[in-house]
């Protein structure tokens, strides 16, 4: 991947994690924690954050796959 592609992926992961966090908070505030929405959103947010750490590591190392 090029640096530009990694940067785009990082933005997409960040946006998705933020959206998942918002969904999680709304589910908890709306008393819907028991139906699994909050747990699914939390899992998605966590996975996005983990992937973002990997992408940032690749960008710092200057990795490039073509």
């Amino acid at each position: 991947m090029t640096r530009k592609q990694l940067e785009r992926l990082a933005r997409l992961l960040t946006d998705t994690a933020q959206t998942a966090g918002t969904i999680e908070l709304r589910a908890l505030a709306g008393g819907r924690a028991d139906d699994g929405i909050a747990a699914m959103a939390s899992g998605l947010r966590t996975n996005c954050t983990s992937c973002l750490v990997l992408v940032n590591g690749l960008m710092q190392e200057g990795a490039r796959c073509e």
Side-chain angles (χ1 to χ4, degrees):
M1 294 182 87
T2 65
R3 182 159 188 84
K4 185 175 180 178
Q5 289 170 321
L6 288 171
E7 288 170 354
R8 182 165 185 238
L9 179 57
R11 283 192 308 273
L12 289 170
L13 287 168
T14 299
D15 291 347
T16 303
Q18 288 174 345
T19 300
T22 300
I23 291 168
E24 180 183 7
L25 290 175
R26 287 184 181 173
L28 292 171
R32 298 184 63 189
D34 290 338
D35 64 8
I37 292 174
M40 286 186 290
S42 176
L44 176 60
R45 181 180 45 80
T46 301
N47 289 340
C48 287
T49 303
S50 297
C51 290
L52 188 56
V53 168
L54 294 173
V55 170
N56 284 336
L58 287 171
M59 288 194 304
Q60 288 177 2
E61 291 294 323
R64 180 183 171 100
C65 302
E66 295 188 45

